[in-house]
Amino acid sequence: MTGFAEIDGELAVGGVPVSRLAERVGSTPFFAYDRGLLTDRVRLLRATLPADLQLKYAIKANPMPAVVQHLSGLVDALDVASALEMRVALDTPMPPEKVSFAGPGKTDAELRQAVAAGVTIELESENEAARIAATGAALGIRPRVAVRVNPDFAVKGSGMRMGGGPQQFGVDAERVPALLKELAATDLDVLGFHVFAGSQNLRADIIGEAQRRTVELLLRLAGEAHDPVRYLNLGGGFGIPYTEKDVALDLAPIGANLGELMDEIRPRLPEAQVVIELGRYLVGEAGVYVTRVVDRKESRGKTYLVVDGGMHHQLAASGNFGQVIRRNYPIAVANRIAEEPAEQVTVVGCLCTPLDLLGDNVTLPSAEVGDLVVLYQAGAYGLTASPTAFLSHPAPAEVLL
Amino acid sequence: MTGFAEIDGELAVGGVPVSRLAERVGSTPFFAYDRGLLTDRVRLLRATLPADLQLKYAIKANPMPAVVQHLSGLVDALDVASALEMRVALDTPMPPEKVSFAGPGKTDAELRQAVAAGVTIELESENEAARIAATGAALGIRPRVAVRVNPDFAVKGSGMRMGGGPQQFGVDAERVPALLKELAATDLDVLGFHVFAGSQNLRADIIGEAQRRTVELLLRLAGEAHDPVRYLNLGGGFGIPYTEKDVALDLAPIGANLGELMDEIRPRLPEAQVVIELGRYLVGEAGVYVTRVVDRKESRGKTYLVVDGGMHHQLAASGNFGQVIRRNYPIAVANRIAEEPAEQVTVVGCLCTPLDLLGDNVTLPSAEVGDLVVLYQAGAYGLTASPTAFLSHPAPAEVLL
């Protein structure tokens, strides 16, 4: 499951063994992301997906500025979900028009910043359209928008169901033609459409079906557009494996399917930039969360490793972020990565709650106080998706190597 | 379920109508805590529990410095779970010896600060005991400690099971006598014991049983103590109602039971300060989370109110923090508090994820963009137990009135 190298019997990130990295960082716990793995992942996508399909990074998955800077040189576009994320994106060399801003609850202040920046606002409702038009008029700037469409189909088997039925996201597909008529009367530059049908999906057939139905829907809606369609955001939803149960996504059939879809789109919408928007899939496997063993204790026949990190930094790994059934995320003793598994232990965080469970009855090499325990798959929705102020421990460092 | 007043048709916090309060704060969303409700809650406890039972506030429930300052003048002691919480506690007039520091993963640096501060360290393992002794020797200070005991009984029916079986918390009850012998040979001032058997419990009979078994256990262990026992922390675990299903805790039988237990303890351990440690029960019902409606939209027959807050500030209310079944927390339109319920709506936050659900099919007065939607029971484990950096929205203010 891990693309990280091993150096001198230790896990290495960006060529640096983790124990040395911990000295360099100066404190544990911390997150470490591997620049090479980010680059490799984009290369893999480029090699598998159609050449003229654009890749967008949804920075919500990991908004660390250094990560966003690195990816900005590799992908074609960035997506942001808040004013601060927009600032991080605009601090990269990425041109503003290649930055999109999505989200169902954008405030007037955020819309004003987005219009002033010249980013593409993915509008989520008729009300938001009117507010964007008013903002554009007030600033004397023609806002760039795309219509986020709530699709009239649902993707089944997804870890998270986002398309179909009533939703807070976007405008219902069947109401889009009427909205497009209204938009034609405003001074908005309507570039195209966005559909996001699902998230964290590991099945290529389901992703393929969602993309096919998305393209059908968008080609239909494009017929109602007033201006030529220059932007089609097909969403993403490519998952990564987190537990032993998970099988990694097979990218090849997705690439083949997208090839066929591009062949359909090109002649009908020759001006359209077609975009796949990925967050977790780009960064999730490129990061580890590094903790240090503070205590090793026995309790009624069970061995506990107590580490100095915990659910306040990696909530999902504790099984408490939306999961119904908790499963262990991959875990290792980073400075004993070459040693054979020797014992069953339970790895817990430093918080004063039984929820703070990082590895339940996991088999690891024999670890001692001072050893470094890492959780893999920590590159996406780790630090920012965790309650960092819970029990007021220091914030962990983040490093990119 | 709410102790908040109504003024001029609006919900009021500390005598200030919420719409005026939003102007004073200058931005939404925010948390508002009511000083009077905090005081009332302590008064209720003082009136119901034995007069010589000490009340301790576990500041992890709400570490806002103003809240801790206020409560420090009302309770007898404070409990902290990290170095930063300790700093907040020590900034109050509470004497250091009335501050306890608990937690299974205390680092050497934290122990050093705690020994230097002179707080009572609730030690969690043999290893930690040795590290505390070494720290005391290095600093020339005799550390004050209490032994956290992993009880040999479990409390059933608790929302969270913390006693019994193997645990990362404390020292197994059956191993405490041997540990006490070891401690007698060190230069640690062993004050007494701490047992925490459960959390967020709404049944007085179960809490009463846990307290009775805790006292039995501690009286037994006290017989093995080398020094006179001066400290018995019986834990807490008093719950508050969050959903319609929940029935508020009946404090009277708990008070009566504790009265009987104090009668048993006093003659046997005349020097012991007996403590009940409460977090959520002291502060949880004294706070609201205030958001503003940014959009009102229809989607396939369903009405959505999109607010400018969300799960990044009130994760538990979204049902994604360790819950198996999501239930609505109490919710209201604060500036229409006197209006009759008029429609069924779904209240969602501003985040770009379907997880960001604050009120699912709730019946509220008809609300418009600009109205203020509040979530009650937001005084404990709200802001600090939420992934505030998720999608990089601004941090909410916190105010105490």
Side-chain angles (χ1 to χ4, degrees):
Chain A
M1 190 177 276
T2 157
F4 293 90
E6 181 190 319
I7 297 177
D8 297 337
E10 288 201 21
L11 181 81
V13 181
V16 182
V18 165
S19 66
R20 177 162 172 178
L21 182 56
E23 295 298 329
R24 173 185 133 173
V25 173
S27 60
T28 51
F30 61 90
F31 287 84
Y33 313 118
D34 191 312
R35 186 185 298 273
L37 292 180
L38 296 175
T39 304
D40 289 349
R41 180 52 56 101
V42 175
R43 269 202 204 116
L44 173 69
L45 286 159
R46 297 284 192 201
T48 316
L49 305 185
D52 57 344
L53 186 73
Q54 302 208 337
L55 272 185
K56 180 184 293 203
Y57 174 48
I59 83 172
K60 62 168 80 69
N62 187 329
M64 184 199 181
V67 167
V68 179
Q69 292 285 346
H70 180 66
L71 283 170
S72 74
L74 301 172
V75 299
D76 306 294
L78 298 172
D79 180 72
V80 302
S82 65
L84 178 52
E85 283 192 5
M86 186 175 78
R87 204 197 302 162
V88 172
L90 293 174
D91 282 343
T92 71
M94 187 67 72
E97 61 270 22
K98 304 295 274 180
V99 175
S100 57
F101 185 1
K106 301 184 204 82
T107 63
D108 289 345
E110 286 175 324
L111 291 177
R112 197 173 169 100
Q113 290 176 267
V115 170
V119 304
T120 301
I121 304 172
E122 298 193 335
L123 66 84
E124 304 266 357
S125 74
E126 289 85 348
N127 166 300
E128 194 173 282
R131 291 193 291 138
I132 296 167
T135 304
L139 293 177
I141 299 167
R142 189 168 188 224
R144 300 163 50 86
V145 302
V147 177
R148 181 165 182 182
V149 181
N150 178 21
D152 46 12
F153 59 86
V155 184
K156 288 175 203 166
S158 172
M160 226 178 265
R161 180 177 166 284
M162 280 179 88
Q167 291 287 341
Q168 71 259 48
F169 305 106
V171 177
D172 296 342
E174 59 275 20
R175 278 165 47 204
V176 169
L179 174 63
L180 290 171
K181 277 207 189 90
E182 282 176 41
L183 293 181
T186 65
D187 195 24
L188 294 176
D189 187 6
V190 183
L191 300 165
F193 304 98
H194 174 208
V195 168
F196 188 82
S199 179
Q200 177 50 19
N201 204 309
L202 290 172
R203 283 182 48 188
D205 56 334
I206 292 172
I207 292 175
E209 187 203 335
Q211 289 172 336
R212 185 161 291 280
R213 299 188 67 176
T214 296
V215 170
E216 283 168 15
L217 170 62
L218 293 185
L219 287 175
R220 193 154 32 92
L221 293 176
E224 312 274 346
H226 190 258
D227 297 314
V229 171
R230 286 149 289 159
Y231 176 81
L232 282 188
N233 183 344
L234 306 184
F238 298 12
I240 65 170
Y242 281 104
T243 74
E244 282 180 348
K245 258 185 81 256
D246 295 340
V247 178
L249 182 63
D250 184 2
L251 216 50
I254 294 178
N257 182 62
L258 283 168
E260 293 169 20
L261 295 175
M262 289 299 286
D263 290 343
E264 289 180 41
I265 296 169
R266 273 185 221 104
R268 294 181 58 183
L269 302 174
E271 294 182 46
Q273 295 183 335
V274 186
V275 178
I276 290 286
E277 181 178 313
L278 300 170
R280 189 193 310 265
Y281 191 76
L282 287 176
V283 294
E285 299 185 79
V288 288
Y289 174 55
V290 184
T291 68
R292 197 181 287 281
V293 178
V294 174
D295 204 350
R296 180 192 163 101
K297 59 191 285 193
E298 308 289 326
S299 173
R300 294 176 187 145
K302 208 163 162 177
T303 302
Y304 289 89
L305 298 179
V306 184
V307 300
D308 59 3
M311 67 187 292
H312 51 317
H313 300 156
Q314 255 299 53
L315 182 59
S318 77
N320 291 297
F321 193 18
Q323 292 105 324
V324 174
I325 299 170
R326 186 194 175 281
R327 293 186 206 280
N328 288 324
Y329 278 27
I331 193 167
V333 184
N335 57 313
R336 298 178 189 272
I337 201 79
E339 293 181 23
E340 290 300 313
E343 60 179 7
Q344 201 177 59
V345 296
T346 289
V347 180
V348 298
C350 62
L351 300 189
C352 224
T353 163
L355 297 175
D356 195 8
L357 176 60
L358 301 178
D360 190 24
N361 287 318
V362 291
T363 306
L364 294 178
S366 185
E368 298 301 327
V369 170
D371 280 348
L372 296 166
V373 169
V374 298
L375 288 163
Y376 294 100
Q377 311 301 77
Y381 301 115
L383 180 57
T384 61
S386 299
T388 46
F390 196 40
L391 276 53
S392 305
H393 285 278
E398 288 185 292
V399 291
L400 173 65
L401 292 108
Chain B
M1 191 178 275
T2 158
F4 293 90
E6 180 189 321
I7 297 177
D8 297 337
E10 287 200 23
L11 181 81
V13 180
V16 182
V18 164
S19 66
R20 175 162 174 178
L21 182 55
E23 295 299 328
R24 172 185 135 173
V25 172
S27 60
T28 50
F30 62 89
F31 286 84
Y33 312 118
D34 192 312
R35 186 185 298 274
L37 291 180
L38 295 175
T39 305
D40 290 349
R41 180 52 56 100
V42 175
R43 267 201 206 115
L44 172 69
L45 286 159
R46 297 284 192 202
T48 317
L49 304 185
D52 57 346
L53 186 73
Q54 302 209 338
L55 272 186
K56 180 184 293 205
Y57 174 48
I59 83 170
K60 63 168 79 70
N62 187 330
M64 184 200 181
V67 167
V68 178
Q69 291 285 345
H70 181 68
L71 283 171
S72 74
L74 300 172
V75 299
D76 305 294
L78 297 171
D79 180 71
V80 302
S82 65
L84 178 53
E85 282 191 6
M86 187 175 78
R87 204 197 303 162
V88 171
L90 293 174
D91 282 343
T92 71
M94 187 67 72
E97 61 269 21
K98 304 295 272 180
V99 175
S100 57
F101 185 1
K106 302 184 204 83
T107 63
D108 289 345
E110 286 174 325
L111 291 176
R112 197 173 170 99
Q113 289 175 268
V115 170
V119 303
T120 302
I121 303 171
E122 297 192 336
L123 66 85
E124 304 266 357
S125 74
E126 289 86 348
N127 166 301
E128 194 174 281
R131 291 193 293 137
I132 296 168
T135 305
L139 294 177
I141 299 166
R142 189 170 188 222
R144 300 163 50 86
V145 302
V147 177
R148 181 164 180 183
V149 181
N150 177 20
D152 47 12
F153 60 85
V155 184
K156 287 176 204 165
S158 170
M160 226 178 266
R161 180 176 165 284
M162 281 179 90
Q167 292 287 342
Q168 71 259 48
F169 306 106
V171 177
D172 296 343
E174 57 275 22
R175 278 165 45 204
V176 170
L179 175 63
L180 290 171
K181 278 206 187 92
E182 281 176 41
L183 293 180
T186 66
D187 196 23
L188 295 176
D189 187 7
V190 183
L191 300 165
F193 304 98
H194 173 207
V195 168
F196 189 80
S199 179
Q200 177 49 23
N201 205 309
L202 290 172
R203 282 183 48 191
D205 56 335
I206 292 173
I207 292 176
E209 187 203 335
Q211 290 171 336
R212 182 161 293 281
R213 299 188 67 177
T214 296
V215 170
E216 283 169 15
L217 170 62
L218 293 185
L219 287 175
R220 191 152 35 91
L221 293 176
E224 312 274 344
H226 189 257
D227 297 313
V229 170
R230 286 147 291 157
Y231 176 80
L232 282 188
N233 183 343
L234 306 184
F238 298 12
I240 66 170
Y242 280 103
T243 75
E244 283 180 349
K245 259 186 80 255
D246 294 340
V247 178
L249 182 64
D250 184 3
L251 216 51
I254 294 178
N257 183 61
L258 283 168
E260 293 170 19
L261 294 175
M262 289 299 286
D263 289 342
E264 289 180 41
I265 296 169
R266 273 184 221 104
R268 293 181 56 184
L269 302 174
E271 294 182 46
Q273 294 182 337
V274 185
V275 177
I276 290 286
E277 181 178 313
L278 300 170
R280 188 193 311 265
Y281 191 76
L282 286 175
V283 294
E285 299 186 79
V288 288
Y289 175 55
V290 183
T291 68
R292 196 180 289 279
V293 178
V294 175
D295 204 350
R296 180 192 164 100
K297 58 191 284 190
E298 308 290 325
S299 173
R300 296 178 184 143
K302 207 163 162 178
T303 302
Y304 289 88
L305 299 180
V306 185
V307 301
D308 59 2
M311 68 188 290
H312 51 317
H313 300 156
Q314 256 298 52
L315 183 59
S318 77
N320 291 297
F321 193 18
Q323 292 106 325
V324 175
I325 299 169
R326 185 194 177 283
R327 295 185 205 280
N328 288 324
Y329 278 27
I331 193 168
V333 184
N335 56 314
R336 299 179 189 272
I337 202 80
E339 293 181 24
E340 290 300 313
E343 60 180 10
Q344 201 177 60
V345 296
T346 289
V347 180
V348 297
C350 62
L351 300 189
C352 224
T353 164
L355 297 174
D356 195 8
L357 177 59
L358 300 179
D360 190 23
N361 288 316
V362 291
T363 305
L364 294 178
S366 185
E368 299 300 328
V369 171
D371 281 347
L372 296 166
V373 169
V374 298
L375 288 164
Y376 295 100
Q377 312 299 79
Y381 302 115
L383 180 58
T384 61
S386 299
T388 46
F390 196 40
L391 276 53
S392 306
H393 285 278
E398 289 184 292
V399 292
L400 174 65
L401 292 108

